[in-house]
Amino acid sequence: VQLVESGGGQVQAGGSLRLSCSASELVGRDYAIGWFRQAPGKGRNGVACVSLVDNKTYYVDSVKGRFSISSDNSKITAYLQMNDLKPEDTATYYCAVQIQNPKIPLNWDFFAAGYLIDYWGKGTPVTVSA
């Protein structure tokens, strides 16, 4: 399964970017889709995700109120709208998918730790200058 990412780039602090992730091969499947980020010299951590089973969204505390995750009606493409960006948001952002059992709610802590990710995108860089 290929996850196609777009939307990274450079922006000044306070600016906005929108990331997109297309998962066309997963149409009809039950899954959660989200983004991780990895800054230079640091680990990869979950930022946000949306479960396409129940449309619940999840965010790491540091982006709550600034980032918003959504998917289109076809559930093919997911978006991460990033507002009020800060230099500490600078990282490579990776799209990620976890196939879900529709009878079991998503465990955000497990998703954010990357324990159950089935597919990864190649990453798109985001640079926020002060």
Side-chain angles (χ1 to χ4, degrees):
V1 173
Q2 186 177 14
L3 303 181
V4 180
E5 301 150 321
S6 63
Q10 290 185 310
V11 67
Q12 289 188 327
S16 299
L17 286 172
R18 188 175 80 157
L19 306 182
S20 300
C21 179
S22 176
S24 59
E25 296 174 73
L26 294 174
V27 171
R29 300 288 301 274
D30 294 312
Y31 62 94
I33 186 168
W35 271 266
F36 286 66
R37 66 186 179 187
Q38 186 169 19
K42 295 188 177 181
R44 188 180 298 187
N45 298 296
V47 175
C49 84
V50 55
S51 167
L52 301 188
V53 172
D54 55 16
N55 292 318
K56 286 186 177 179
T57 57
Y58 305 82
Y59 301 92
V60 67
D61 286 346
S62 60
V63 307
K64 286 180 179 178
R66 300 188 298 121
F67 291 13
S68 177
I69 190 168
S70 62
S71 66
D72 62 12
N73 290 334
S74 67
K75 298 184 178 180
I76 292 176
T77 303
Y79 305 95
L80 183 67
Q81 178 67 43
M82 305 186 294
N83 298 327
D84 190 23
L85 282 160
K86 303 177 180 181
E88 51 263 43
D89 295 316
T90 294
T92 297
Y93 284 69
Y94 297 88
C95 182
V97 164
Q98 175 190 326
I99 302 299
Q100 278 190 263
N101 180 331
K103 297 181 181 180
I104 301 175
L106 183 74
N107 184 313
W108 164 241
D109 290 335
F110 274 50
F111 184 97
Y115 292 154
L116 301 175
I117 300 301
D118 294 288
Y119 305 105
W120 290 96
K122 294 182 178 180
T124 184
V126 171
T127 302
V128 184
S129 57

